[in-house]
């Protein structure tokens, strides 16, 4: 059975393989990042909800990717670069299980702008799956 860490690590590995980010790391196991390297992507477990399935527990599980880029040129170019990043991350994860047998394929639940300050634009891309745990004995 996979753990939250296993699933998060698979997301991180998949995003690193895109070779589009200078930093790809976990946010959940560290304090909030301070980075000078852009673009950056931080992945974390955002929470889960028990679906009430019996006897096998099934959880609706959310992971988020905090994606930050720095505006080094015009506003239009910066927006286009950010959109490319969030589109590419969505396409790399959505509809896939990333080699994890006890989850459903991920869906991209939402993408939203969370901050734009001092030339740094940050989006959150939220992924959702259903995680099937072992039947309790």
């Amino acid at each position: 059975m996979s753990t939250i860490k296993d699933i998060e690590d698979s997301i991180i590995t998949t995003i690193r393989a895109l070779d589009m980010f200078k930093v790809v790391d976990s946010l959940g196991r560290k304090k909030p990042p301070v980075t000078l390297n852009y673009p950056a992507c931080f992945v974390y477990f955002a929470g889960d909800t028990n679906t009430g399935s019996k006897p096998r527990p099934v959880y609706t599980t959310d992971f988020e990717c905090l994606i930050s880029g720095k505006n080094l040129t015009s506003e239009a170019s910066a927006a286009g670069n950010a959109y490319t990043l969030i589109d590419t991350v969505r396409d790399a994860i959505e509809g896939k299980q990333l080699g994890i047998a006890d989850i459903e394929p991920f869906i991209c639940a939402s993408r939203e702008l969370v901050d734009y300050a001092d030339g740094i634009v940050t989006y959150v891309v939220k992924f959702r799956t259903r995680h099937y745990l072992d039947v309790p004995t």
Side-chain angles (χ1 to χ4, degrees):
M1 178 183 77
S2 62
T3 66
I4 295 298
K5 179 187 179 308
D6 296 333
I7 299 168
E8 181 180 284
D9 287 347
S10 292
I11 295 170
I12 290 169
T13 299
T14 300
I15 294 172
R16 277 189 185 139
L18 297 173
D19 203 28
M20 295 182 70
F21 295 92
K22 295 197 182 214
V23 176
V24 180
D25 210 344
S26 172
L27 177 61
R29 296 187 294 266
K30 298 179 179 182
K31 66 181 191 173
V34 176
T35 186
L36 300 176
N37 297 310
Y38 296 97
C41 179
F42 296 96
V43 179
Y44 54 95
F45 168 66
D48 60 12
T49 305
N50 190 324
T51 65
S53 176
K54 302 276 188 226
R56 183 179 191 172
V58 179
Y59 284 80
T60 300
T61 307
D62 293 330
F63 291 87
E64 294 182 357
C65 300
L66 187 69
I67 298 172
S68 296
K70 188 163 185 153
N71 180 0
L72 299 174
T73 57
S74 70
E75 292 294 323
S77 177
N81 291 340
Y83 300 155
T84 297
L85 293 173
I86 65 174
D87 283 348
T88 303
V89 167
R90 178 203 57 210
D91 295 345
I93 306 295
E94 187 168 36
K96 298 174 181 82
Q97 288 178 268
L98 308 180
I100 304 166
D102 58 359
I103 65 169
E104 290 182 356
F106 286 98
I107 62 163
C108 181
S110 66
R111 301 184 301 168
E112 68 179 272
L113 176 69
V114 293
D115 194 31
Y116 183 62
D118 301 322
I120 299 168
V121 61
T122 303
Y123 283 86
V124 167
V125 181
K126 180 184 284 187
F127 294 101
R128 181 167 291 145
T129 187
R130 287 169 47 103
H131 188 192
Y132 295 85
L133 305 184
D134 292 336
V135 176
T137 55

